[in-house]
Amino acid sequence: MTAPTSATPLAPYATLLGFTRYVDRTGPTKATFVGGLRKQRASRSGFNPHGQFVKALKADIAFHTGGTHLDHVVDAVKPRWRPLYQALVPGATAWLQSLGEPQSVDLAQTRDALALLGDLPVKINPHFGIRYADGRAEAVRLHFDETPPSDETVLATLHLMARHMDAVLPHAEPVLVDVRRGQTHRMPDRAKPEEIERWLAGEAAAFQSLWTTAA
């Protein structure tokens, strides 16, 4: 009789959101956070409360409606999520207006990519792309949290998106949009990609170690 074999260990994995939230943490909170991600991955649980919001924002860009779909989605969403949407819409509308005339901006299709930081797979998944009338394009990742994105979050998000832009949206610039405040974050001119890459490689190695420890 063959002895039962143990289950295959769950390999380390992170989404762009999970990894950038991880690098923003310090000390023991890193281990707790990675343990939570591992449990979520194992149970295949998780719910995205922002799905209808993103769909409405994309519709406003695609149909050049300047915020009409965002206004409507506040009433259409389930009551439990209405306060969240009410907090997000003003900043998102301000961001839309900052893009210029609605007719001068179109929605662009982005594709997900899989980054490898050492041996750690990180899913690079922008929310959507935009293309301007002059030909410029941006791959957009949205930040929904109550607190603004930290410098670490901005650098990690934009660097990883830029690193795989050929697959995500060729020739586009990565941007991180702070939805609640309607602010667009771009890679600072002073940023040094080689240093960011070394920093993220170290963070990824620690992430893998913590993931294994949490098993």
Side-chain angles (χ1 to χ4, degrees):
M1 182 175 179
T2 304
T5 58
S6 58
T8 302
L10 193 65
Y13 170 86
T15 62
L16 182 60
L17 176 62
F19 186 72
T20 54
R21 283 183 167 172
Y22 159 77
V23 300
D24 199 29
R25 283 165 167 75
T26 58
T29 62
K30 280 184 177 287
T32 303
F33 183 75
V34 172
L37 288 181
R38 192 184 191 286
K39 289 178 181 177
Q40 188 180 71
R41 176 88 171 156
S43 65
R44 300 181 182 275
S45 62
F47 172 72
N48 177 15
H50 305 115
Q52 286 179 262
F53 181 90
V54 174
K55 185 177 180 179
L57 181 56
K58 290 169 67 175
D60 273 323
I61 297 170
F63 298 111
H64 314 293
T65 42
T68 302
H69 289 83
L70 284 174
D71 288 338
H72 289 167
V73 79
V74 174
D75 295 324
V77 75
K78 291 182 179 180
R80 67 175 296 189
W81 301 116
R82 199 159 294 154
L84 171 64
Y85 280 42
Q86 288 171 337
L88 295 174
V89 164
T93 303
W95 174 71
L96 277 178
Q97 293 172 350
S98 76
L99 301 179
E101 290 297 322
Q103 297 293 335
S104 69
V105 183
D106 286 305
L107 194 67
Q109 178 67 47
T110 57
R111 293 179 173 83
D112 293 349
L114 192 65
L116 278 177
L117 284 171
D119 295 325
L120 177 66
V122 180
K123 184 179 181 181
I124 310 301
N125 51 343
H127 285 96
F128 53 83
I130 55 177
R131 195 176 299 279
Y132 296 89
D134 62 6
R136 291 180 298 119
E138 294 174 348
V140 180
R141 180 74 198 176
L142 303 175
H143 177 87
F144 294 103
D145 296 355
E146 292 185 18
T147 56
S150 66
D151 291 344
E152 290 79 8
T153 294
V154 171
L155 287 175
T157 301
L158 298 181
H159 178 81
L160 289 172
M161 287 173 63
R163 194 176 186 248
H164 296 273
M165 196 55 68
D166 285 349
V168 170
L169 182 60
H171 311 297
E173 177 186 5
V175 297
L176 179 64
V177 175
D178 182 356
V179 178
R180 290 178 187 257
R181 283 149 286 270
Q183 296 178 348
T184 299
H185 294 271
R186 305 176 188 278
M187 186 64 79
D189 292 337
R190 68 182 185 282
K192 298 180 180 179
E194 298 83 2
E195 291 184 3
I196 298 173
E197 186 72 21
R198 286 194 294 271
W199 163 54
L200 292 181
E203 292 284 359
F207 182 103
Q208 289 180 282
S209 178
L210 292 170
W211 182 284
T212 303
T213 303

